[in-house]
Amino acid sequence: MKILGLFEEGKVYEVLLVTKSNVTPIGIVRKGNYLYFKLFGGKSFREVKEHPFGVVHITQDVELLIKAALNIPIDVEFEDAKEIPLRKIKKLSWVEGKIEFEETEIEDEFGKSKVLKCKFIPLYGEMIPSIIKPLSRADYVLLEMAVHLTRLFVATRRHKVDVAQKLYSKIWQGYQEYIRLGGKSELAEKIMGLALISVRWNS
């Protein structure tokens, strides 16, 4: 499948995963003709267990990735996938496929968590021509802030005060760097606001 050539083996790529009714960013790694990723407890976790299909979308729209991660409504259109009983996002390159998974438990700084170790078996995919917007260093910083925020939410829920404080510091440092690099997205302010609320609730 030609589109798999976009993924170099062993590298982690940030993409969007569409399941039965959810869109979430995931990190995937290609090994041979398959893509591998993990899902932690949540809507996509439950949907893959019940309906083991997915669509992987490729995008350089950092704000789209962040909005999906933070459950902020995204402005996209959907249409039926070609080979599987799911919808996909219009105007984004995609790979649709079947998902094999193993449910297991991991332990880290947040404690014990259930996780699905997923093997994505591509069935069909297409590359959609688009105008490639160059990514700035500020984009990468903003994405990293969002990743830290999702981890902060977990630390807050589990009352891991020390971990939460460290994550909040990383988000604050990222915010300063984002501004320095000329970033102007309203999402940066939103992330900082959510981080402050979360860490105050946990203090």
Side-chain angles (χ1 to χ4, degrees), residues 68-82:
L70 301 181
N71 295 315
I72 297 170
I74 55 177
D75 184 21
V76 294
E77 291 184 68
F78 291 88
E79 62 187 359
D80 290 340
K82 303 287 187 182

Side-chain angles (χ1 to χ4, degrees), residues 42-192:
K43 195 168 185 180
S44 293
F45 178 103
R46 295 190 297 272
E47 290 189 348
V48 165
K49 287 181 66 176
E50 295 168 2
H51 195 71
F53 296 92
V55 181
V56 168
H57 280 289
I58 301 165
T59 180
Q60 284 192 302
D61 186 339
V62 170
E63 293 201 10
L64 180 59
L65 289 165
I66 291 170
K67 286 178 179 178
L70 301 181
N71 295 315
I72 297 170
I74 55 177
D75 184 21
V76 294
E77 291 184 68
F78 291 88
E79 62 187 359
D80 290 340
K82 303 287 187 182
E83 300 288 338
I84 61 173
L86 283 183
R87 296 185 308 157
K88 65 180 184 66
I89 299 172
K90 287 184 177 181
K91 299 178 183 177
L92 286 183
S93 297
W94 85 96
V95 185
E96 54 193 72
K98 184 173 174 28
I99 299 172
E100 294 180 353
F101 61 85
E102 174 192 0
E103 185 171 353
T104 186
E105 192 174 70
I106 63 168
E107 187 166 5
D108 56 18
E109 59 188 336
F110 302 109
K112 292 182 178 179
S113 304
K114 287 184 177 181
V115 65
L116 287 188
K117 292 183 177 179
C118 299
K119 176 183 178 180
F120 185 90
I121 303 167
L123 299 176
Y124 184 87
E126 285 187 20
M127 288 185 280
I128 304 296
S130 61
I131 297 172
I132 302 299
K133 175 186 171 185
L135 289 174
S136 72
R137 287 178 59 198
D139 291 327
Y140 291 112
V141 173
L142 188 64
L143 185 59
E144 197 68 16
M145 286 172 63
V147 171
H148 290 320
L149 181 62
T150 59
R151 292 170 59 81
L152 175 60
F153 289 155
V154 176
T156 299
R157 284 198 305 271
R158 299 188 179 185
H159 304 290
K160 301 287 185 179
V161 178
D162 290 345
V163 177
Q165 291 287 351
K166 288 176 183 175
L167 288 167
Y168 178 80
S169 293
K170 288 180 179 180
I171 294 168
W172 172 246
Q173 290 165 11
Y175 178 72
Q176 299 297 312
E177 180 76 353
Y178 182 73
I179 299 302
R180 188 183 71 79
L181 291 169
K184 294 178 174 62
S185 172
E186 292 178 1
L187 279 175
E189 304 289 342
K190 189 170 186 67
I191 290 170
M192 273 310 312

